[in-house]
Amino acid sequence: MHRSETITLQKLKSTISRNGMLPFFNHQNIDCVLEVMKILKRCECDVFEFTHQRDARGIRMFAWLADRAKELGITMGAGTILDASQANRYIRVGAQFIASPFLHEDVAQACHDNDVLWIPGCTTLADVQQATAWGATAVMIIPGNILGPDFVKQVVTIHPELMCIPSGGVTVAKNNIGSWFDAGALCVRLGDALFTREDVAVKDWGKIESNVFHAFQGVKQLKSSILRTKSISI
């Protein structure tokens, strides 16, 4: 995939916000990852994060999967990126966004230079402030189960222009997801909650597809309900 095919940052942010769910997954078996991507597309979720695996196969897998993502109409990014070297390698083979668990100015610069969305992990308001100073327009709130929705409310109050994506400890339970959207999150990042190790181990794709479908439908309904409520209150 050539960089000239990269979608605009605004369109990408709109896609992530519209989906309301950022699924992430990684597996040593490339066919398993492709099956997950096909499930996501059948469930009408068209954004996906392939988390970096710490061996040479990761980049090769991503490059092949990026071509499959294009065929499926899925926007695909790379996650758990730790430095600019990794970021640049994934960007060269088609990553449309880069997610990092920590703040790294060199990763921010690599994304900026390539017009690619950077989503850094933030655990404090100081982290959020630094991320915005380095040009971030979307941040991961991690660990979500420790910081909680009240932290998202604080971030949104101070930086209403930011896209907040809670991650870690986020479940598909209606009250859990609802609390994040009510706090102002535009998206939730989900991994094991969608693709449990047990289901993946036995390749129970039917059960996984059911999980993804119900989670995605629940997310859309919750977001719609919360937006209607806020509109009425205004």
Side-chain angles (χ1 to χ4, degrees):
M1 180 178 291
H2 303 293
R3 294 316 311 163
S4 59
E5 298 174 7
T6 302
I7 60 178
T8 66
L9 294 182
Q10 190 55 50
K11 183 178 178 181
L12 173 55
K13 288 191 290 184
S14 295
T15 297
I16 294 175
S17 177
R18 184 185 70 250
N19 277 263
M21 185 170 80
L22 178 57
F24 68 95
F25 183 71
N26 181 284
H27 198 280
Q28 292 291 329
N29 186 329
I30 198 168
D31 291 329
C32 288
V33 183
L34 181 58
E35 189 60 43
V36 162
M37 291 167 61
K38 289 178 178 178
I39 286 171
L40 291 173
K41 188 60 181 181
R42 287 197 294 270
C43 293
E44 301 182 347
C45 181
D46 54 6
V47 64
F48 172 62
E49 176 192 320
F50 177 87
T51 52
H52 168 67
Q53 57 187 45
R54 292 164 180 77
D55 60 44
R57 292 183 66 242
I59 295 292
R60 295 196 300 271
M61 287 178 65
F62 189 96
W64 187 84
L65 290 166
D67 286 337
R68 305 293 82 72
K70 182 182 177 183
E71 293 168 1
L72 291 168
I74 291 178
T75 298
M76 184 172 166
T80 322
I81 302 303
L82 304 178
D83 56 46
S85 176
Q86 288 179 1
N88 280 315
R89 288 201 298 272
Y90 276 100
I91 290 169
R92 279 196 296 269
V93 295
Q96 301 285 4
F97 61 90
I98 295 292
S100 305
F102 310 111
L103 288 172
H104 289 288
E105 187 174 11
D106 59 346
V107 176
Q109 189 62 51
C111 292
H112 175 75
D113 291 345
N114 290 280
D115 198 29
V116 167
L117 181 66
W118 175 51
I119 311 176
C122 296
T123 60
T124 66
L125 289 175
D127 285 348
V128 174
Q129 187 63 36
Q130 185 62 74
T132 58
W134 288 341
T137 55
V139 294
M140 272 193 300
I141 304 302
I142 54 174
N145 59 327
I146 301 298
L147 295 172
D150 285 342
F151 182 76
V152 170
K153 286 182 181 179
Q154 286 183 290
V155 173
V156 171
T157 298
I158 299 171
H159 296 284
E161 76 286 356
L162 273 181
M163 175 186 287
C164 287
I165 306 174
S167 175
V170 180
T171 75
V172 295
K174 184 176 180 180
N175 60 342
N176 185 280
I177 292 180
S179 66
W180 293 112
F181 290 134
D182 194 46
L186 295 180
C187 179
V188 290
R189 184 171 176 267
L190 294 167
D192 290 343
L194 296 175
F195 322 109
T196 70
R197 293 180 182 179
E198 295 79 10
D199 292 339
V200 173
V202 297
K203 298 183 180 180
D204 191 344
W205 304 122
K207 184 177 179 182
I208 291 171
E209 183 160 351
S210 178
N211 289 343
V212 173
F213 177 80
H214 288 102
F216 192 44
Q217 293 303 310
V219 163
K220 289 196 293 186
Q221 291 170 7
L222 284 167
K223 284 197 73 175
S224 177
S225 175
I226 289 170
L227 286 173
R228 282 199 305 271
T229 300
K230 288 183 177 181
S231 176
I232 292 172
S233 64
I234 291 173

